[in-house]
Amino acid sequence: MIPELEPITASEFDAQAASHLLRRTVIGARSSEIRLALNTGLEATLNRLFTPFDPDRSSIQHMIGNKVWSESRPHSSPRWYGFFDEKNGRYTDLRQWICRNIVTSPTSLQERMTLMWHMHFPSSCGGSHFAEHCLDQNEVMRKLCLGDLRELVSQVTLGQAMQIYLDGVHSYWNDRENAVNENHAREFLEIHVLGHSSRTGQPLCSQQDIVSIAHAFTGTHITEEWSAYDAASDDLLRDRECSWSAHRWDPRDKNIMGMVGPWKPTDVVNILFQQRSSDIAWWFAKRLCEEFIARPSETSPHEVEGIADLLLTNDFDIGRTMRTLLSSKLFFDRRFRLRLVKTPMHLWLGSLRILEVTDIPDFFLDSPRHGDDLISRLAAFGHLPYEPPNVSGWHRDLDWLTPSDVSRRIAQCTKLAEGKLTFKNESTNWRVNLYNPVQVIDRVGGMNNIEALSQTLCNDVLGVDDTDLIQRLHSQLRSRPMSLETRQQQGLSSVMSSPFYQLF
Amino acid sequence: MKRRNFLRSVVATSALAALPGLPTLARIMHAPDAGMGWISAPVNSNNNILVVIRLFGGNDGLNTLIPIHDDEYYRIRRDTASVDMSIKAESTLPIPGTTELAFHPSLKPLSTLFNENKVAIVQGVGYPNMDLSHFRGTNIWLSASDSNVFETTGWMGRFLELRHHEKLESATDPFAIEMGDKMGRAFVGMQTHMGITYETNTPIAEKVGLSTENILGPDLEALIHRQAKDGKKFIRRTDSAVNSVPYGSGEYYNGPGNFGKSLRTISRSIRGGLTTQLYIVHTGQFDTHSNQQYDHAQQLDEMSTNVLAFQREMEEAGMADRVSMLIMSEFGRRPAPKATGTDHGTAAPVFVVGSSVNGGLYGVPPSVHDLNSDGNLHWHVDFRSIYASALEQWFGDDPTTYLPSVLPRQFPTIPLFRTPSSSLTSAQNVWPSPCSNTVNISVTTGTTGPVRATITDMNGRPLRVYDAEVSGGAIQLNVSSVSQGMYVVQLASGALQTSVPIIIRR
């Protein structure tokens, strides 16, 4: 193991280190969590972070069971539109559930990792896709986010959501017809597991590799079973599921990375991890590095190589690798603190979590599916779960900082801090204020003492322990007479509209 | 050479790198595996506008321009008795000047413009070792890089940065606009983002909160400050331009992807006086793996209807001479169909549309008789030839300026645009460099004096003003009273402007 991955000492785990650890691993780390981490030490904090949690599934109960439904009625029927309303509504249900899990999660790495894997393996709701398939995929990511990377890759790659998103279900081969679609194989190789080029800039796969894997991937299709007839509503329902059929699969030998055989979809991931383990480890090491350490231009190939070796040593166990990484000198290196850009989901949902906006879950649950809610706001920022802009996924890091985006982000953060962000419930025409800023200040560490307030806001909300900055906020808050409420609100507004708040 | 290393190596001589207050994106962004070099060079300027229309998903060129007399096309597109992906000759629209090719029946509006000599069609466009991934293909097209280079910036972003580097602080109008709410690579420059995303009613930051530059170092914090400031300024200005004019009379096709709405907004911003020179708008689901016959027809219909509507609005506004459209896709599609669709392929046509376009067919159509080992068409024209043509003929730039920072090397140009360069300089030369007491700057042949030359420091503060006479295609300035250092000379003659960096050393 390279020296940079050696653990820090207990004494090095100071307030700033605790803040950094929580900020990088929890979307919207709270003041109370940072303080607890400092008080209990690194090991205990990591234990908490690596503890999985089971989110409340009551809002998605109607989607569980791997059955999705369609309707056979003609397009002209009003019921047809009802079907689409329901289908689209379920996307919203899924997205709200994902968002709510982030906002309400305990101190756990699970949500951060699940979101990371979703952004690494993007797939989409919409079109002929069903929210239920995406829910299944999200559950896989949730379950395996810190598990065996091979298993995660395998289950996501061969799962229904990805098969549909990358046209795998339209790819088949038989003696009469060649309908092999290369989309899935190409993105699997070039985006999901290998990348475009090796450490030395050499191409990692050829068109022939893509074709071979595309043929091995054939055979998956959507089955439709007539399963119910609802006489009351005159709806004929059917279930849609993906399954694999030998008669749609190309049984001929394929040469995949030098191994020749009549490979099936399930063989592909195993062959890849067997034949190209070093390249795969390097690809995922880069991903972990840019997600948790620093942007590629700020880390060295030596450090990425160290993480790749760690993945190999741990036999692609993500949890063990992450535990070492999050204890390491590399992770806590001061050069890398507060240098990554929050994604819109991180910014928004993290803000709600920091502010402990506990009424949001109820609002989600009671909200009709077409309200002016958080989901539509996330969509406006181009970061809606299960709606990637393209097959390679969403922006990363500095890509989010375009002039228009920065301006919008800061404008919305300011509104949020000032309690002026309202949500409209279209069915009742209510306008709902998101939270009471004074109550939030109380939760963040509410206090009448301006000095303590300044310090708390800088340390815990921004993650900046800088005397000048604290002093500047302190001066700002005492510059003119104002009520306690106004002072608290202005303090929160100052920190949340700060450039630092865009970073973590 | 890594971009950041290259930048470090040229920082001492690059006028751009020395600009104060410039967000140093290059220092903090991901460095490409191999990148474009950076040169400090003079740039021309005109006010021409290019609207780039990206057909997302890979447009099927063979079913866009149909080889109606080629039996092999009909054979290969008829995969099985039940699958026929060909377009019947009798349904196509003729293309004047050729009997071999015809337009897809959905391209009636484009055909109308072609008949008016306002559409240039470049056939068989591609590049060496084409990548058939949407993501990579798009990245290559937007970055203008070779397929083995992983560039994180866009050729348009680099071009704008080169052209406007001295105006980064002072510009009132956005340099480029990407329609929608998601910014791609197109306008990412070496140093900063050169574009904004735009939709009507975009919220803007009124202030930036608590800050100090001594914590993170100036780079990230300054970047965020600057972007917030620019975003506020540019969005307000764009809102103002868009809202200052009514909707035009163009009959747009409002499909699900808002393409028509976006083009309509672009039309309003141009008619409203925005000086933005580059727009990009994305449309479609041209990724027709299945249900191609119906979907492709729909997509082409939407595209060409909106292009015609936009062109007509520009004509009515009297602005059509300086607005062109470039319509491109990341790749074509494979000749042999698969089930009800086609897989990703290679060569495809690119369209350039506008009143200043030299209409007609360019290049040769890719042949279905001559496929590569993967069953794909051979390309004949590198897509960067079209970019080079636009840079030189439309924006009045010169290879000595845009190479190698905008395009990686020189590509042959195609006479796609009628408008000659309206810039002040064409063969930009500054000599001697560094200079001592006098400096000579060449200007476009035909420019008559006097040329107003203003030497400014790197903060844009004017130091000396000259009214120089053109002699032998150049002006000469006496700089003996100017201290050693790096400066920018701003040249103006009538409506033409350009700027040139100079170094004085004694």
Side-chain angles (χ1 to χ4, degrees):
Chain A
M1 191 162 69
I2 61 172
E4 291 89 334
L5 291 175
E6 296 290 340
I8 60 167
T9 60
S11 63
E12 288 173 303
F13 191 66
D14 56 14
Q16 280 299 290
S19 172
H20 177 66
L21 175 63
L22 268 295
R23 212 167 291 282
R24 285 280 166 95
T25 52
V26 177
I27 298 171
R30 292 170 181 153
S31 181
S32 55
E33 290 170 321
I34 294 167
R35 289 173 199 177
L36 181 64
L38 183 62
N39 291 337
T40 55
L42 178 59
E43 277 304 302
T45 306
L46 288 175
N47 288 343
R48 276 193 295 281
L49 286 170
F50 281 80
T51 303
F53 80 100
D54 208 19
D56 177 10
R57 291 181 175 79
S58 53
S59 67
I60 51 160
Q61 204 59 46
H62 56 296
M63 297 163 63
I64 296 173
N66 207 27
K67 294 285 184 190
V68 294
W69 59 275
S70 180
E71 187 191 35
S72 66
R73 296 185 66 84
H75 292 202
S76 57
S77 161
R79 301 294 302 179
W80 176 260
Y81 295 104
F83 159 67
F84 275 108
D85 277 351
E86 177 62 22
K87 186 177 172 220
N88 290 331
R90 291 185 180 199
Y91 301 153
T92 305
D93 294 340
L94 170 66
R95 287 171 177 139
Q96 287 179 342
W97 181 70
I98 291 170
C99 292
R100 194 179 54 170
N101 289 343
I102 290 172
V103 176
T104 60
S105 80
T107 311
S108 172
L109 185 54
Q110 180 174 298
E111 292 307 310
R112 178 92 163 81
M113 294 298 290
T114 303
L115 185 59
M116 183 193 87
W117 290 126
H118 177 41
M119 292 181 74
H120 183 83
F121 297 104
S123 60
S124 145
C125 293
S128 60
H129 315 143
F130 285 80
E132 285 82 347
H133 298 139
C134 299
L135 172 63
D136 288 348
Q137 186 195 66
N138 196 263
E139 293 280 23
V140 165
M141 289 173 175
R142 195 169 293 281
K143 184 175 137 200
L144 294 171
C145 65
L146 288 164
D148 179 13
L149 182 62
R150 270 177 296 241
E151 191 59 28
L152 176 72
V153 170
S154 180
Q155 289 203 29
V156 170
T157 300
L158 303 179
Q160 305 186 88
M162 195 62 79
Q163 293 275 11
I164 294 172
Y165 180 56
L166 293 178
D167 302 313
V169 291
H170 301 301
S171 182
Y172 63 92
W173 186 95
N174 59 43
D175 290 339
R176 289 169 290 108
E177 199 168 45
N178 172 6
V180 180
N181 186 311
E182 295 163 13
N183 247 5
H184 190 190
R186 180 172 290 109
E187 310 310 356
F188 167 73
L189 285 178
E190 294 190 354
I191 293 178
H192 296 168
V193 296
L194 276 183
H196 298 101
S197 63
S198 70
R199 303 159 170 85
T200 55
Q202 299 304 308
L204 283 169
C205 60
S206 65
Q207 174 66 14
Q208 194 48 51
D209 293 325
I210 291 166
V211 171
S212 296
I213 290 178
H215 280 260
F217 273 165
T218 51
T220 305
H221 64 119
I222 297 178
T223 58
E224 297 186 349
E225 290 176 20
W226 305 104
S227 63
Y229 178 71
D230 183 346
S233 64
D234 201 26
D235 283 348
L236 193 58
L237 305 179
R238 57 188 175 183
D239 301 324
R240 289 163 62 95
E241 281 188 56
C242 291
S243 61
W244 185 83
S245 301
H247 70 271
R248 292 170 64 92
W249 165 70
D250 181 356
R252 297 172 300 173
D253 280 353
K254 303 113 193 159
N255 182 340
I256 298 179
M257 306 289 171
M259 293 188 73
V260 179
W263 308 121
K264 292 180 179 171
T266 46
D267 297 319
V268 174
V269 174
N270 290 336
I271 293 172
L272 258 288
F273 271 84
Q274 189 178 320
Q275 297 296 97
R276 306 298 285 273
S277 59
S278 171
D279 291 324
I280 292 172
W282 191 68
W283 179 244
F284 281 100
K286 277 208 306 185
R287 190 79 182 93
L288 292 177
C289 201
E290 67 184 47
E291 192 75 25
F292 288 95
I293 308 294
R295 63 184 54 91
S297 58
E298 295 182 342
T299 49
S300 71
H302 160 77
E303 288 157 347
V304 177
E305 201 68 65
I307 300 171
D309 286 344
L310 192 61
L311 261 173
L312 287 170
T313 307
N314 287 326
D315 194 24
F316 290 106
D317 185 304
I318 308 164
R320 288 211 304 269
T321 303
M322 283 301 297
R323 180 121 191 168
T324 303
L325 193 61
L326 295 179
S327 315
S328 70
K329 291 173 178 164
L330 182 67
F331 176 78
F332 286 104
D333 192 320
R334 287 180 183 276
R335 290 175 301 150
F336 301 144
R337 295 182 189 179
L338 221 60
R339 295 288 296 172
L340 298 179
V341 178
K342 290 175 181 172
T343 64
M345 282 184 70
H346 198 139
L347 186 68
W348 284 108
L349 302 176
S351 295
L352 297 179
R353 192 174 183 282
I354 289 171
L355 301 175
E356 297 187 49
V357 185
T358 49
D359 48 343
I360 271 287
D362 290 340
F363 181 75
F364 279 158
L365 283 175
D366 295 340
S367 170
R369 287 150 166 178
H370 307 295
D372 173 24
D373 58 11
L374 193 65
I375 298 298
S376 52
R377 286 173 197 264
L378 285 173
F381 277 93
H383 196 202
L384 196 58
Y386 287 99
E387 192 170 302
N390 58 53
V391 290
S392 72
W394 295 264
H395 288 333
R396 289 182 195 167
D397 198 36
L398 289 162
D399 293 340
W400 294 110
L401 294 185
T402 65
S404 32
D405 279 350
V406 171
S407 187
R408 289 193 303 162
R409 286 163 67 114
I410 292 177
Q412 297 283 5
C413 284
T414 310
K415 271 190 162 185
L416 182 63
E418 292 173 353
K420 293 178 182 168
L421 205 60
T422 58
F423 292 91
K424 186 181 175 188
N425 181 324
E426 286 192 348
S427 66
T428 60
N429 213 22
W430 290 346
R431 281 200 168 273
V432 182
N433 271 316
L434 193 58
Y435 72 100
N436 178 338
V438 176
Q439 288 173 1
V440 168
I441 290 284
D442 285 342
R443 284 197 289 265
V444 169
M447 51 206 67
N448 300 336
N449 181 313
I450 299 176
E451 193 170 343
L453 176 67
S454 304
Q455 190 146 11
T456 301
L457 288 171
C458 288
N459 283 348
D460 295 350
V461 179
L462 287 187
V464 180
D465 179 23
D466 179 85
T467 315
D468 283 352
L469 196 76
I470 296 168
Q471 190 54 47
R472 188 171 300 187
L473 180 60
H474 185 241
S475 307
Q476 199 180 83
L477 296 181
R478 60 180 299 180
S479 61
R480 62 186 173 85
M482 57 182 102
S483 69
L484 175 64
E485 284 183 17
T486 308
R487 182 176 291 135
Q488 289 173 333
Q489 194 166 314
Q490 185 173 325
L492 199 58
S493 172
S494 286
V495 294
M496 287 181 67
S497 58
S498 157
F500 303 117
Y501 193 68
Q502 302 294 320
L503 308 168
F504 73 112
Chain B
M1 179 183 281
K2 300 281 188 192
R3 180 177 56 183
R4 58 193 160 130
N5 296 338
F6 188 91
L7 281 170
R8 282 180 190 140
S9 72
V10 299
V11 72
T13 55
S14 163
L16 182 74
L19 277 173
L22 195 67
T24 50
L25 198 62
R27 271 185 246 149
I28 47 182
M29 276 192 81
H30 172 64
D33 294 335
M36 310 296 182
W38 180 261
I39 58 166
S40 165
V43 288
N44 302 318
S45 63
N46 60 28
N47 58 2
N48 287 344
I49 293 167
L50 186 66
V51 179
V52 177
I53 297 169
R54 198 170 76 79
L55 311 181
F56 175 77
N59 177 38
D60 185 4
L62 270 182
N63 277 13
T64 301
L65 303 176
I66 297 111
I68 49 176
H69 295 307
D70 192 334
D71 291 342
E72 180 62 9
Y73 162 77
Y74 286 101
R75 190 200 65 75
I76 205 166
R77 279 272 146 129
R78 200 175 292 125
D79 187 35
T80 64
S82 60
V83 175
D84 184 354
M85 299 295 294
S86 67
I87 303 295
K88 298 289 172 285
E90 54 271 26
S91 67
T92 60
L93 303 167
I95 299 178
T98 178
T99 55
E100 299 302 312
L101 294 171
F103 283 117
H104 187 285
S106 292
L107 291 176
K108 181 82 173 60
L110 201 67
S111 150
T112 301
L113 290 173
F114 188 89
N115 295 341
E116 295 171 9
N117 205 30
K118 291 170 185 163
V119 180
I121 303 172
V122 187
Q123 305 173 89
V125 182
Y127 56 90
N129 301 314
M130 285 189 75
D131 195 302
L132 305 192
S133 154
H134 295 295
F135 165 65
R136 271 298 292 155
T138 300
N139 205 355
I140 290 165
W141 274 78
L142 294 183
S143 67
S145 63
D146 292 329
S147 63
N148 62 345
V149 173
F150 297 89
E151 179 59 57
T152 56
T153 63
W155 74 277
M156 290 181 272
R158 298 192 301 271
F159 160 66
L160 290 169
E161 201 168 55
L162 192 62
R163 169 166 282 203
H164 297 297
H165 62 80
E166 79 282 11
K167 297 182 196 160
L168 288 177
E169 298 280 355
S170 60
T172 55
D173 292 9
F175 299 106
I177 295 179
E178 181 152 10
M179 299 308 295
D181 55 19
K182 300 173 187 71
M183 176 70 90
R185 293 277 178 211
F187 301 135
V188 178
M190 299 287 280
Q191 301 277 320
T192 188
H193 287 275
M194 294 302 291
I196 60 166
T197 53
Y198 182 73
E199 284 185 315
T200 47
N201 302 319
T202 302
I204 49 176
E206 294 299 332
K207 63 171 187 177
V208 176
L210 201 61
S211 184
T212 173
E213 291 194 0
N214 62 1
I215 299 175
L216 303 180
D219 57 353
L220 264 179
E221 203 177 337
L223 176 72
I224 294 171
H225 262 291
R226 184 190 173 90
Q227 305 291 53
K229 193 178 99 185
D230 284 352
K232 177 179 171 180
K233 177 174 68 177
F234 290 152
I235 290 167
R236 274 197 174 149
R237 170 69 184 116
T238 309
D239 276 340
S240 164
V242 167
N243 294 326
S244 69
V245 291
Y247 289 107
S249 61
E251 293 178 11
Y252 291 93
Y253 177 134
N254 286 313
N258 283 336
F259 174 52
K261 187 179 165 193
S262 293
L263 271 186
R264 188 191 288 269
T265 303
I266 294 173
S267 163
R268 290 177 80 196
S269 72
I270 293 172
R271 290 185 288 117
L274 212 63
T275 58
T276 301
Q277 286 193 282
L278 276 161
Y279 294 83
I280 190 165
V281 55
H282 311 268
T283 180
Q285 261 306 344
F286 284 82
D287 194 20
T288 46
H289 287 280
S290 59
N291 203 26
Q292 170 163 320
Q293 292 288 50
Y294 177 79
D295 289 348
H296 193 228
Q298 288 281 99
Q299 299 290 337
L300 290 179
D301 185 19
E302 180 177 0
M303 181 272 284
S304 67
T305 302
N306 286 325
V307 164
L308 177 64
F310 179 80
Q311 173 66 20
R312 291 294 184 246
E313 287 193 353
M314 292 299 101
E315 289 169 6
E316 283 168 18
M319 308 178 91
D321 285 344
R322 64 180 193 90
V323 181
S324 291
M325 288 169 271
L326 170 63
I327 305 168
M328 62 195 204
S329 191
E330 65 264 35
F331 42 67
R333 305 198 77 81
R334 203 161 301 171
K338 289 180 176 177
T340 60
T342 51
D343 216 319
H344 303 180
T346 47
V350 167
F351 301 89
V352 185
V353 182
S355 297
S356 297
V357 163
N358 272 324
L361 282 165
Y362 294 86
V364 293
S367 170
V368 288
H369 299 269
D370 177 27
L371 303 179
N372 68 17
S373 57
D374 299 321
N376 279 316
L377 299 164
H378 288 289
W379 60 273
H380 303 295
V381 178
D382 193 302
F383 71 107
R384 289 160 297 189
S385 277
I386 298 165
Y387 295 171
S389 308
L391 287 168
E392 294 183 27
Q393 299 155 20
W394 190 237
F395 290 117
D397 228 327
D398 187 275
T400 58
T401 304
Y402 69 70
L403 293 176
S405 54
V406 180
L407 300 182
R409 57 187 169 278
Q410 195 147 12
F411 293 91
T413 56
I414 309 161
L416 298 172
F417 298 92
R418 279 207 295 272
T419 307
S421 161
S422 54
S423 59
L424 186 57
T425 64
S426 58
Q428 301 85 1
N429 276 311
V430 176
W431 74 96
S433 183
C435 59
S436 173
N437 294 319
T438 59
V439 60
N440 302 286
I441 303 170
S442 69
V443 295
T444 304
T445 307
T447 302
T448 54
V451 172
R452 171 63 61 93
T454 307
I455 296 183
T456 70
D457 65 13
M458 303 312 292
N459 293 320
R461 284 189 291 265
L463 302 176
R464 299 282 186 283
V465 179
Y466 308 80
D467 285 317
E469 291 297 330
V470 178
S471 173
I475 58 170
Q476 186 175 72
L477 308 178
N478 184 335
V479 293
S480 58
S481 61
V482 183
S483 308
Q484 289 192 102
M486 191 177 299
Y487 302 89
V488 173
V489 182
Q490 295 177 348
L491 303 173
S493 177
L496 306 178
Q497 294 181 3
T498 193
S499 63
V500 183
I502 61 169
I503 298 169
I504 301 175
R505 190 177 296 156
R506 300 188 183 93

